[in-house]
Amino acid sequence: MAQQKSTNYFDPKNNPFLDPKNNPFLDPEKNPFLSADVSKMFGGYGAPELKELMDSQRKNFEALAAANKTAVEGFQAVFTRQGEILKQVMDEANATIQEAQAKGGKLDPDAAKNIDQIKDALEQAVTNMRELSEMVSKSQQEAFNILNQRVGEQLDELKKSVNK
């Protein structure tokens, strides 16, 4: 079986869009940005000091680690609460089953009581879902606030560095 020859699409001979004759954006005479001296554009700005740059990156990693820790702790709290809710539901279900078994395995003949039990269970489920949703939202907001604060600090650091 013969090997196929791969085409280099970055070669102007194989790609007409990379030929300045076909693409005016690649023609230095038609595109002033290709012949511009970038060093003159940014010549007035000094490079940040390495220590400042390293400190800034260290703070970024610390903020990211704190945000991740907050998020993980929040999710652990949610999982713990889900376990508690599940245990409560199972205990209530067992109590209902034992009550029905005590009556010979039959539901209460009063349909209104049965409907009230179902209604109470549904209301409790909605309350539990709302509680879990609020826990997740709070955890995410705390993690976001940590990162948002760090972004603000970093922009202040950059502004201070540029003004030097």
Side-chain angles (χ1 to χ4, degrees):
M1 187 157 127
Q3 282 188 336
Q4 291 183 348
K5 186 176 178 184
S6 66
T7 304
N8 181 358
Y9 291 105
F10 295 105
D11 185 357
K13 296 174 193 167
N14 299 327
N15 189 340
F17 294 110
L18 294 177
D19 187 355
K21 294 174 193 168
N22 298 329
N23 187 342
F25 292 107
L26 297 177
D27 187 353
E29 294 175 11
K30 295 179 182 171
N31 187 343
F33 295 104
L34 292 177
S35 60
D37 187 0
V38 178
S39 64
K40 287 182 182 178
M41 284 191 251
F42 297 104
Y45 300 106
E49 292 184 26
L50 186 59
K51 183 184 180 321
E52 289 177 1
L53 191 61
M54 295 298 285
D55 286 344
S56 179
Q57 289 303 315
R58 180 186 47 79
K59 291 176 186 175
N60 289 346
F61 284 119
E62 288 172 354
L64 189 58
N68 284 335
K69 181 180 181 216
T70 300
V72 166
E73 288 171 353
F75 284 116
Q76 285 175 335
V78 168
F79 292 140
T80 301
R81 183 64 184 126
Q82 282 178 327
E84 293 167 357
I85 290 169
L86 180 60
K87 182 182 180 319
Q88 176 186 356
V89 168
M90 295 306 293
D91 289 346
E92 290 172 4
N94 284 334
T96 303
I97 290 170
Q98 288 175 357
E99 182 182 320
Q101 285 176 343
K103 295 178 184 178
K106 296 181 181 175
L107 292 175
D108 196 314
D110 184 10
K113 184 176 178 183
N114 293 329
I115 292 172
D116 284 341
Q117 286 179 330
I118 293 170
K119 179 182 173 195
D120 291 343
L122 288 173
E123 287 174 352
Q124 186 62 45
V126 169
T127 300
N128 291 339
M129 289 188 322
R130 182 178 296 119
E131 178 186 356
L132 292 173
S133 174
E134 288 170 358
M135 289 175 73
V136 169
S137 178
K138 180 182 176 197
S139 172
Q140 289 175 342
Q141 187 63 43
E142 289 173 359
F144 176 78
N145 287 343
I146 291 169
L147 294 176
N148 193 32
Q149 179 181 354
R150 179 59 198 137
V151 168
E153 291 170 357
Q154 190 169 24
L155 290 173
D156 290 341
E157 291 169 3
L158 180 62
K159 187 166 81 173
K160 203 172 14 174
S161 175
V162 169
N163 287 335
K164 281 186 180 181

